Amino acid sequence: ATRTPVPTAITTPSSVKAGIGTLEFTDGYPKGDTAEKLRDHLDYLHGVETFTNTIQGVSIYAIRKGFLEAGINDGDVLIFSKLMDSRSLFLTANADTVYYISFLDLSDGPLVLETPPDALGLVDDMWFRWVTDFGLPGADRGQGGTYLLVGPGYDGPLPEGGCYVRHSRTNHVTLLARSFINENPGNDPGPTVDLIKDRLKIYPYAPGGLGSSIGAYLTGKGSLGQPATAQSPRFVEGTGLAFNTIPPNDFGHYELLDALVQMEPAEALDTELAGQFAALGIVKDETFAPDARLRKILDEAVAVGNAASRTLGMGAHPTEGFRYYGTESAWWISLWVGGFEFTNPPPEITAEGIKPYPIQGARRLHSRTSFFYTATGITPAMCMRLTGVGSQYLIANVDTTGEPFDGAKTYRMSLPKDIPAARFWSLTLYDNQTRSMLQTEQLYPRAGSQEYPSPAAQAEAHSSTVVYFSPARPDGVAPGNWIQTDPEKGWFVILRLYSPLPAFFDKTWRPSEFELVS
């Protein structure tokens, strides 16, 4: 009989030269140590991918771990009454708004969340997936509202109305909120803190109570119970608190990932993503105990995974499409290529309404890795083209020559007049290593339009605002126009625009690049 011709492209040669060495086959079957080489290499690849693709989960687990080690339990609210300063190791937090942060446990049933007015808040699950906004971008639209947070295992009655019901895929969620001080006299955070403490309530939901009518019960369509009593949470002061919430960049990443996998339901995981770390032995209800061979491989994989994530998280590749004003500018942000879900850019806002981009069906993995290596919390409000709502961020890591910022040198940059922020703007410096606020004698390494917690920046006669970055304040420079650097440290900066205006989105306004002065 005539044999079917076999195309060369579907065969495997007897010898294949690769980066991991020469791979040998006997008519397609691996011989010698080829199988072992490939086994090790696959474990290495899974290790790298697991690091880069699980930063979001490990990061939020590390925050909760830091809270617990500092004595802040689930249900407690950490509040920064005098704003956050550089003593707290927290990924790219600001020094401009009153933060209040909590981890909530929904495993015993839904929780009622009553929110204060004029907040900019969000709830994310333990994989940093968005659950809901509250406050200005939320359903309460800044009036303050009642939200019902429901965990994945709950199958009991839910209210007919009277609150905004939101479902989480994980039993634990994080509440991350900011409230503003820009309208307070002297930008004093005190009135804002008092309002938060008075209005923020967190308490268990009583089935058949809130939002459940007697009429529905009488017609067999609902349950009946007494409404729960609103309860204020325990507030823990955060200003000046020296604690760590940064995820590890070594083998500890895999250990925290395993702890997260064990803590939450298996259904909370994306099955394709879970497959990457299941190949390494990180599996729900199983013990993660790598042998010496796998441990050595994972130590190498985490070094490369961290290096790759740090490269993405520093915006070091202009070709990623992160640069906001083009590849010649230092200013970048990774969210715009994939939006808050890391799939599509945020929709255009036109006179005819929302104009979404065509769905491509692909996760922008580099965007997700970059964002969560540098930041925490995710919401549509962080990446939308609506004016006057939410906040926008631009990051810069290099000067006009493309060199990273050197803490021993002096730089300056300018913000042209009519800075497009209806509420306020700020520049904040961060330590390259920790991605937390740079620690110097300035506890609040920021400059901005607010006069607290440091003097407001002053515009020059021609209305541009020039800011200097150096170890010592240059002669003639106002205190509010200078941010201190550490001669021993590299740094980067984030420009924040709260309630951004059209000139930011159409790019008719743009900050200058960073000029090396000395």
Side-chain angles (χ1 to χ4, degrees):
T2 303
R3 295 189 178 187
T4 303
V6 178
T8 303
I10 71 170
T11 65
T12 299
S14 60
S15 181
V16 178
K17 294 187 182 300
I20 60 173
T22 300
L23 308 176
E24 298 181 332
F25 299 86
T26 300
D27 198 24
Y29 187 85
K31 69 177 185 178
D33 63 354
T34 292
E36 281 300 306
K37 282 183 183 179
L38 291 171
R39 178 195 181 198
D40 289 352
H41 193 58
L42 282 174
D43 285 340
Y44 170 78
L45 294 175
H46 290 315
V48 173
E49 290 182 331
T50 291
F51 186 94
T52 60
N53 291 332
T54 62
I55 285 174
Q56 65 276 25
V58 173
S59 178
I60 194 169
Y61 188 90
I63 300 172
R64 180 173 177 268
K65 181 174 181 286
F67 273 43
L68 294 174
E69 291 174 348
I72 307 159
N73 299 317
D74 291 345
D76 293 344
V77 175
L78 181 66
I79 187 167
F80 292 83
S81 298
K82 298 294 183 182
L83 310 189
M84 191 185 297
D85 64 41
S86 60
R87 286 171 286 194
S88 299
L89 297 182
F90 208 105
L91 289 176
T92 53
N94 72 58
D96 309 293
T97 61
V98 176
Y99 276 109
Y100 41 114
I101 309 166
S102 182
F103 284 90
L104 306 177
D105 186 353
L106 308 177
S107 58
D108 290 333
L111 292 176
V112 180
L113 169 65
E114 296 182 15
T115 64
D118 299 320
L120 189 59
L122 59 90
V123 176
D124 285 344
D125 76 6
M126 289 300 289
W127 281 94
F128 262 136
R129 293 174 296 216
W130 180 61
V131 175
T132 188
D133 286 329
F134 63 86
L136 295 165
D140 64 285
R141 298 301 295 275
Q143 300 300 304
T146 301
Y147 293 78
L148 184 64
L149 304 177
V150 184
Y154 181 75
D155 59 359
L158 292 172
E160 304 158 44
C163 61
Y164 311 111
V165 180
R166 300 291 186 263
H167 293 267
S168 168
R169 291 172 62 184
T170 58
N171 283 320
H172 297 80
V173 297
T174 184
L175 178 157
L176 174 60
R178 295 146 289 167
S179 285
F180 302 106
I181 65 174
N182 62 290
E183 294 182 355
N184 298 343
N187 299 146
D188 175 14
T192 300
V193 172
D194 291 342
L195 181 63
I196 295 166
K197 290 185 174 181
D198 179 61
R199 298 287 294 273
L200 182 65
K201 310 292 182 185
I202 304 171
Y203 52 94
Y205 167 65
L210 173 72
S212 300
S213 67
I214 293 177
Y217 170 71
L218 293 176
T219 57
K221 298 177 181 177
S223 61
L224 188 63
Q226 293 300 315
T229 302
Q231 300 174 27
S232 296
R234 171 180 175 249
F235 287 95
V236 178
E237 182 53 56
T239 301
L241 183 62
F243 74 128
N244 175 46
T245 69
I246 311 299
N249 292 334
D250 58 12
F251 182 77
H253 177 99
Y254 302 114
E255 294 175 315
L256 263 59
L257 172 62
D258 178 64
L260 173 58
V261 168
Q262 304 310 326
M263 184 175 77
E264 295 295 343
E267 294 77 14
L269 293 169
D270 174 89
T271 53
E272 290 289 332
L273 180 60
Q276 291 180 354
F277 43 84
L280 303 173
I282 299 176
V283 180
K284 176 71 174 178
D285 295 330
E286 295 185 12
T287 300
F288 175 51
D291 59 18
R293 179 199 68 87
L294 182 56
R295 174 59 193 263
K296 181 175 183 295
I297 291 170
L298 291 180
D299 283 339
E300 295 175 0
V302 77
V304 172
N306 174 62
S309 300
R310 174 168 285 274
T311 299
L312 293 169
M314 293 285 177
H317 285 307
T319 54
E320 291 287 350
F322 296 167
R323 300 295 174 101
Y324 192 68
Y325 300 104
T327 57
E328 298 305 311
S329 172
W331 294 105
W332 67 278
I333 184 68
S334 60
L335 279 180
W336 285 92
V337 301
F340 81 101
E341 292 182 303
F342 310 100
T343 50
N344 274 19
E348 299 285 345
I349 309 296
T350 71
E352 293 75 35
I354 295 293
K355 182 182 177 183
Y357 283 81
I359 295 174
Q360 296 179 319
R363 188 80 63 197
R364 300 296 185 96
L365 298 176
H366 289 184
S367 172
R368 184 176 67 187
T369 298
S370 173
F371 180 80
F372 285 114
Y373 196 84
T374 305
T376 56
I378 193 66
T379 161
M382 299 175 79
C383 184
M384 60 183 178
R385 302 179 203 271
L386 278 175
T387 59
V389 183
S391 49
Q392 293 297 332
Y393 310 84
L394 290 174
I395 307 174
N397 302 72
V398 296
D399 64 17
T400 52
T401 69
E403 289 297 313
F405 298 129
D406 182 341
K409 298 178 179 178
T410 298
Y411 303 84
R412 71 178 171 212
M413 59 85 63
S414 64
L415 302 167
K417 66 177 181 177
D418 300 324
I419 299 170
R423 193 175 286 273
F424 71 87
W425 66 267
S426 72
L427 289 160
T428 308
L429 254 59
Y430 298 96
D431 183 319
N432 277 351
Q433 291 286 1
T434 66
R435 292 94 75 203
S436 303
M437 280 189 255
L438 185 68
Q439 297 189 44
T440 66
E441 294 175 3
Q442 280 185 337
L443 283 176
Y444 301 94
R446 47 84 66 186
S449 54
Q450 296 183 161
E451 58 183 290
Y452 184 93
S454 56
Q458 301 176 15
E460 295 191 344
H462 53 75
S463 294
S464 286
T465 302
V466 180
V467 179
Y468 287 79
F469 311 82
S470 57
R473 179 158 58 99
D475 293 341
V477 174
N481 293 66
W482 167 66
I483 307 178
Q484 188 174 29
T485 60
D486 180 345
E488 304 298 322
K489 300 294 298 181
W491 56 270
F492 66 98
V493 64
I494 295 183
L495 170 63
R496 286 177 168 85
L497 304 170
Y498 274 83
S499 298
L501 299 174
F504 170 78
F505 297 105
D506 64 23
K507 302 180 184 179
T508 54
W509 179 94
R510 63 182 283 183
S512 80
E513 303 302 311
F514 289 77
E515 177 187 354
L516 179 63
V517 178
S518 63

